[in-house]
């Protein structure tokens, strides 16, 4: 089970994924767009990593130790606030 969630799979999120993958770190990815244009490419680049598409509420954020937010996702998002309140590291 991955301990790191990358939230937002635009250019920054994909760059973070590439770095973690190169380091051999297990992670999961989340993008709020259910029709993410890069979904197929991400699944091909990172085949062992889980890709969630949809709302934060669709994923149990409390199962992660760290959430890496892409710049397009606000720390004021209710699910992000709940994760912070639960003691999850959000960077």
């Amino acid at each position: 089970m991955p301990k790191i969630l990358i939230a937002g799979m635009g250019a920054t999120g994909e760059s973070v994924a590439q770095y973690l993958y190169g380091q051999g770190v297990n992670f999961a990815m989340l993008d709020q767009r259910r029709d993410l244009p890069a979904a197929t490419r991400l699944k091909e680049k990172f085949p062992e990593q889980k890709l969630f598409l949809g709302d934060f509420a669709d994923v149990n954020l409390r199962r992660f130790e760290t959430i890496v937010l892409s710049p397009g996702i606000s720390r004021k998002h209710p699910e992000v606030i709940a994760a912070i309140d639960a003691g999850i590291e959000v960077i």
Side-chain angles (χ1 to χ4, degrees):
M1 163 106 38
K3 297 180 181 192
I4 299 173
L5 175 68
I6 304 168
M9 292 311 298
T12 301
E14 188 170 346
S15 180
V16 171
Q18 186 66 47
Y19 174 78
L20 294 176
Y21 192 74
Q23 298 298 308
V25 175
N26 190 20
F27 59 90
M29 303 169 282
L30 167 68
D31 198 279
Q32 295 180 14
R33 297 170 285 181
R34 293 191 188 279
D35 59 347
L36 177 66
T40 300
R41 184 179 74 248
L42 291 170
K43 289 176 185 177
E44 289 172 356
K45 272 180 97 169
F46 314 113
E48 300 88 15
Q49 313 308 321
K50 176 73 176 160
L51 174 61
F52 299 100
L53 298 176
D55 297 329
F56 278 106
D58 296 341
V59 178
N60 179 6
L61 298 181
R62 287 177 177 81
R63 71 187 210 191
F64 299 100
E65 293 178 5
T66 303
I67 299 172
V68 179
L69 287 183
S70 291
I73 300 176
S74 173
R75 291 179 67 90
K76 296 179 182 179
H77 187 289
E79 295 293 331
V80 175
I81 291 171
I84 293 169
D85 289 347
I88 298 168
E89 178 184 33
V90 176
I91 54 176

